[in-house]
Amino acid sequence: MNATVYLADLRYNYTGFLANDCMPLGVGYMKAVMDRDLPEVRSRLFAYPDNLWEALQAEPPDVLMLSNYVWNEALSYHFAHLAKRIRPDMLVVMGGPNISLEPERQLEYLRQRPALDLYALGEGDFLATEVVQHFLDADKSLPRFQERNVPSAVYRRSNGEVGLQTSWDRRKEIDEIPSPWLTGVLDEFFDGKLAPLMETNRGCPFTCTFCVQGVSWYTKVHNFTKERIREEIEYVARKIHTVCPSMGTLRIADSNYGMFERDIEISGYLGETQKTYGWPKYIDATTGKNRPERIIQSVEKAGGALVVYQAVQSLDDNVLRNVKRSTIKLEAYEQILMHVRGRGLRSNSDLILGLPGESLETHVSGIRKLLDSGVSQVTNFQLMMLKGSELETLQTREQYSFQTRFRVLPKNFGIYGHEKVFDVEEIVVSTDTMSFDDYLQARKYALVSVAFWHNNDLDAALDFARTLGMKRSEWLDRTLQAMEKPESPLRGFLDNFVFETRNELFPTREACIEFYSQEENFRGLLAGGIGENLMHKHNALATFHVWPAICQTGMDVIRQLLTEQGADREIPDFHEFWVEFSRFIELRHAWGPTEERILSSARAKLRYDFSRWLADGSPKDPSPYRLPAAEEFEFRLTREGEEGLRSALGVWTTDLKGLTKMVTRMKVAWQQRECRPDGQWAMAG
């Protein structure tokens, strides 16, 4: 029996920018299985809502299947409504990890969403085909289908009653899933907007309670074969090179990439395609928590495109026990950092504000420790109530006195089918160990971290100061104090951040949606004035708009701390040196409101050859690098930096909304200019 099935993994694109720029890998797997096992079924994939809306009106399918993640739950359900209006007898199915663990709440989920006929539980690769087969066996009759016992699902009977069949066990042999890359299923999404998303394995051996994959159902790790992965990487690289060469990004969906022996070889495959096709330029992946030697080798094999990203979430032992994360070895983390620093590679980490047992003191202590450890960047998240995680259960909420608020997900809104739609997240702002005022203070520290530290533009000064006895953590505290002074050039920057932090929070999901549904506030969302990711927005502001004030404040604080430690007595002409060094640091960073300004060069007369001083390891006495007379120096972007920035700006533009996304999708090294005397540039051609 013939049938038409639409498989939709929707992402908002109403603002002109994609809220989620990954190719729809999950539904790609589902279609690949369906194409093989149900050849009589005509299936079609959708990532863009407008395309689905047009198709629903032009040719309503027999079955509509919608993904459910935290970023598209409301959007998917909105299309379930639209579909039922167009064709009430259509089978509408939703599936994905974004559903609570408790069975009664799973049943209630379907009761509250009458446009859904079934919610598929667990991995959907084969389950999607199973559901469609049941529908075909019911002669495509929705009432008959509703009387069947579909496995691994929350279902609605024809009389309106709701029932539950527990989740299937996960399949170990995941290579039974045809490759959506090698079968061409995902070919249409090589459009230069969506980045390839690939899996090398599934599952996670850790049991973190804040993560969906922390539950026991995901504990076993199942691998795709290396041969298949190599073929997929080669296929994607060729496709990118031919169809959309400006797409330099690869996203890897593994929970712990680099932790396994086989990952070293897989990174080698990526290194090969870099040499042959120039792709990938940037690999976005969460690297493993243990096995430092393997992670380092994986990073090196990937030709510098892979950044070490190790999520620690907290450095407090009690908090780690509370979230069942004690199996992760912090010694391994420190060993990785040592290797990374020794090889000049970047390393990222993150902390989560609001975890059970965390206080303002322990959270800020974690930031200080990571700063002193030498990690290149720390992202400070707020604890999100992820459906499907243990922390989101009613029991855990009560146990730790979680107080939550709701905020719109950045760029996750739009008008589709002539109606406004918003996806909203729930975050923790208070616990039994952290007040709301503590939350706000911790967010200030997060702002200092993102504005002064994330792009590593002050690293040369901070590393030099460390050799003179200054701790980076001292600088962090003092920098926040400097920003809070009334005369600070960044006081408005800080005050605006705190104002937006307070005003982005709503007591209920409904209140959040009601506020942004008002036309004036909706226009504010569109313009990017409200509703953005505040950390990414202020990172963009810091690095492209107010960089001179950031540089001045950061360098002034370092100078003050060094002076207090007597550096002005130890270093000849210290104050002259520091004024010149500050100017050097400022001009080495490319910034500005326009593409022309960002890509331009800069010039300055300097009394020190700072490039040579840095190349020699920043000796404590810089006087040998003092020039007889001030010389003209020019600061230029590297070829890679110029090409990378030009390409990224071509996608994201210099609009603040675009820069807010771009700062998370570019190499920070692209913004760093090289400095040479005029004569040396001429000799370099």
Side-chain angles (χ1 to χ4, degrees):
M1 181 179 295
N2 295 326
T4 302
V5 177
Y6 290 173
L7 299 152
D9 181 10
L10 301 176
R11 56 266 292 123
Y12 289 88
N13 61 351
Y14 188 76
T15 63
F17 300 104
L18 286 163
N20 172 4
D21 62 357
C22 295
M23 294 188 187
L25 179 64
V27 291
Y29 285 129
M30 292 158 60
K31 176 174 169 54
V33 173
M34 203 173 294
D35 288 350
R36 181 192 65 192
D37 295 350
L38 295 176
E40 69 274 25
V41 169
R42 185 171 66 89
S43 62
R44 184 177 170 188
L45 295 182
F46 294 88
Y48 300 124
D50 292 330
N51 292 349
L52 178 57
W53 176 230
E54 291 175 6
L56 285 174
Q57 296 174 93
E59 186 183 359
D62 300 296
V63 182
L64 173 62
M65 294 185 157
L66 299 152
S67 68
N68 177 21
Y69 298 98
V70 67
W71 57 82
N72 70 354
E73 179 180 27
L75 181 61
S76 290
Y77 186 64
H78 175 66
F79 272 89
H81 260 303
L82 294 176
K84 283 292 190 180
R85 288 180 194 168
I86 293 169
R87 182 176 174 180
D89 67 341
M90 186 188 308
L91 172 61
V92 178
V93 179
M94 184 180 277
N98 191 39
I99 189 168
S100 299
L101 290 175
E102 302 102 314
E104 180 52 42
R105 293 175 74 193
Q106 292 177 345
L107 292 168
E108 188 61 24
Y109 192 89
L110 207 63
R111 292 189 191 106
Q112 293 178 1
R113 292 165 175 79
L116 298 181
D117 300 304
L118 181 140
Y119 195 100
L121 300 173
E123 294 174 341
D125 315 292
F126 297 96
L127 184 54
T129 295
E130 181 79 9
V131 171
V132 172
Q133 183 63 66
H134 274 272
F135 190 60
L136 295 176
D137 292 344
D139 299 323
K140 298 196 296 186
S141 164
L142 184 56
R144 291 180 189 173
F145 172 83
Q146 290 174 329
E147 299 311 311
R148 299 180 69 86
N149 291 321
V150 179
S152 196
V154 188
Y155 54 84
R156 192 186 310 279
R157 294 299 190 197
S158 56
N159 63 3
E161 292 182 2
V162 173
L164 172 68
Q165 294 278 348
T166 55
S167 296
W168 273 355
D169 291 336
R170 294 174 60 221
R171 292 210 182 191
K172 181 179 179 181
E173 301 301 330
I174 55 176
D175 261 337
E176 294 177 5
I177 307 167
S179 169
W181 302 109
L182 303 179
T183 56
V185 162
L186 292 171
D187 278 2
E188 65 179 290
F189 300 107
F190 286 91
D191 59 4
K193 300 175 184 177
L194 296 170
L197 174 68
M198 305 183 77
E199 276 186 315
T200 77
N201 65 48
R202 289 185 182 177
C204 180
F206 303 109
T207 56
C208 309
T209 61
F210 51 80
C211 179
V212 172
Q213 292 202 34
V215 297
S216 59
W217 197 76
Y218 289 99
T219 301
K220 296 291 185 182
V221 177
H222 302 150
N223 295 315
F224 290 102
T225 62
K226 290 184 292 184
E227 293 73 23
R228 167 179 169 148
I229 295 164
R230 183 168 197 164
E231 288 182 40
E232 289 182 335
I233 291 171
E234 176 73 19
Y235 182 91
V236 172
R238 285 201 312 270
K239 201 77 175 176
I240 291 284
H241 183 71
T242 305
V243 179
C244 49
S246 64
M247 175 52 66
T249 301
L250 167 65
R251 305 198 187 284
I252 297 179
D254 303 11
S255 296
N256 299 281
Y257 183 73
M259 198 172 80
F260 305 103
E261 184 73 34
R262 65 199 300 271
D263 294 340
I264 301 170
E265 193 170 343
I266 293 167
S267 289
Y269 306 156
L270 293 167
E272 291 171 8
T273 58
Q274 284 176 325
K275 295 174 184 175
T276 306
Y277 302 104
W279 180 90
K281 293 182 173 65
Y282 174 70
I283 302 170
D284 183 8
T286 299
T287 50
K289 283 73 176 174
N290 296 330
R291 300 288 187 172
E293 67 287 346
R294 293 177 181 173
I295 294 167
I296 292 300
Q297 289 183 63
S298 294
V299 170
E300 291 178 335
K301 289 278 188 179
L306 176 63
V307 175
V308 175
Y309 183 56
Q310 291 198 292
V312 295
Q313 275 78 54
S314 175
L315 292 179
D316 183 81
D317 290 339
N318 180 55
V319 175
L320 294 174
R321 282 191 294 271
N322 287 341
V323 297
K324 301 180 181 178
R325 198 174 170 79
S326 56
T327 53
I328 295 172
K329 301 171 184 175
L330 293 180
E331 319 86 73
Y333 177 78
E334 292 169 354
Q335 187 178 346
I336 291 171
L337 284 183
M338 181 179 67
H339 282 282
V340 165
R341 288 196 302 270
R343 288 162 172 77
L345 301 171
R346 279 181 56 80
S347 58
N348 291 356
S349 188
D350 65 45
L351 296 168
I352 299 178
L353 177 63
L355 290 172
E358 195 83 85
S359 65
L360 172 62
E361 291 73 23
T362 59
H363 179 74
V364 174
S365 175
I367 298 176
R368 292 187 184 113
K369 288 177 182 176
L370 288 171
L371 189 54
D372 287 336
S373 74
V375 67
S376 305
Q377 174 180 320
V378 170
T379 302
N380 293 277
F381 292 108
Q382 296 89 66
L383 178 59
M384 186 190 300
M385 290 285 91
L386 286 175
K387 296 174 185 175
S389 69
E390 184 180 327
L391 273 191
E392 194 271 340
T393 62
L394 297 178
Q395 178 183 347
T396 306
R397 288 170 180 261
E398 182 179 356
Q399 180 181 354
Y400 295 107
S401 302
F402 288 148
Q403 297 295 313
T404 64
R405 293 292 183 271
F406 297 84
R407 64 185 181 189
V408 67
L409 279 156
K411 297 181 176 62
N412 283 264
F413 65 90
I415 298 176
Y416 300 105
H418 313 296
E419 297 177 38
K420 293 172 182 170
V421 190
F422 307 88
D423 262 285
V424 174
E425 65 178 343
E426 181 184 10
I427 63 165
V428 173
V429 298
S430 175
T431 70
D432 56 359
T433 56
M434 184 189 74
S435 68
F436 182 66
D437 286 342
D438 291 340
Y439 169 84
L440 291 177
Q441 187 64 18
R443 291 281 281 164
K444 288 183 183 180
Y445 273 95
L447 175 66
V448 177
S449 171
V450 77
F452 288 86
W453 179 12
H454 273 208
N455 297 314
N456 306 129
D457 296 301
L458 299 173
D459 268 5
L462 289 168
D463 288 343
F464 176 61
R466 181 176 52 81
T467 66
L468 299 173
M470 189 198 83
K471 288 187 174 181
R472 289 191 176 206
S473 53
E474 296 175 306
W475 169 75
L476 177 78
D477 293 328
R478 190 72 70 86
T479 300
L480 178 54
Q481 294 169 20
M483 292 176 71
E484 290 175 327
K485 292 179 179 178
E487 68 274 15
S488 168
L490 293 172
R491 180 59 189 262
F493 179 74
L494 174 63
D495 288 348
N496 183 67
F497 172 78
V498 174
F499 175 82
E500 291 191 62
T501 297
R502 286 181 178 274
N503 285 275
E504 72 174 353
L505 304 174
F506 294 84
T508 64
R509 189 179 303 273
E510 293 73 22
C512 182
I513 292 172
E514 180 183 357
F515 175 82
Y516 289 113
S517 295
Q518 297 172 24
E519 194 57 36
E520 181 181 356
N521 298 329
F522 189 77
R523 287 197 298 269
L525 275 181
L526 273 177
I530 55 176
E532 290 288 347
N533 180 303
L534 292 185
M535 286 304 162
H536 296 164
K537 175 182 176 179
H538 283 77
N539 186 9
L541 287 169
T543 193
F544 286 107
H545 286 209
V546 298
W547 163 246
I550 294 289
C551 182
Q552 176 191 334
T553 302
M555 293 296 286
D556 282 352
V557 170
I558 299 172
R559 177 182 53 79
Q560 290 163 12
L561 287 167
L562 291 180
T563 301
E564 290 171 13
Q565 295 174 11
D568 56 335
R569 295 187 298 272
E570 296 179 24
I571 299 175
D573 301 312
F574 174 75
H575 293 290
E576 177 199 52
F577 166 77
W578 201 259
V579 168
E580 297 253 327
F581 191 24
S582 298
R583 184 68 174 147
F584 171 83
I585 293 293
E586 179 186 335
L587 294 178
R588 202 164 63 153
H589 178 79
W591 68 285
T594 65
E595 180 174 340
E596 180 182 9
R597 178 79 173 274
I598 294 166
L599 299 178
S600 67
S601 60
R603 305 176 73 88
K605 282 191 173 182
L606 298 173
R607 292 295 302 265
Y608 289 83
D609 188 344
F610 288 106
S611 295
R612 188 164 61 88
W613 176 68
L614 290 173
D616 290 346
S618 310
K620 289 183 181 180
D621 180 6
S623 56
Y625 302 87
R626 192 176 189 276
L627 303 167
E631 292 185 14
E632 189 83 14
F633 287 82
E634 185 174 3
F635 297 75
R636 293 184 189 179
L637 290 170
T638 65
R639 179 176 297 179
E640 180 191 1
E642 183 177 354
E643 291 176 354
L645 281 174
R646 194 183 300 278
S647 176
L649 289 167
V651 174
W652 300 107
T653 78
T654 55
D655 186 276
L656 182 57
K657 291 188 300 182
L659 294 177
T660 297
K661 293 288 282 187
M662 193 177 94
V663 291
T664 67
R665 290 159 170 79
M666 55 172 276
K667 289 183 179 181
V668 298
W670 291 347
Q671 276 184 271
Q672 190 171 98
R673 297 172 174 139
E674 288 185 345
C675 173
R676 298 182 190 177
D678 277 346
Q680 288 189 19
W681 282 114
M683 287 186 290

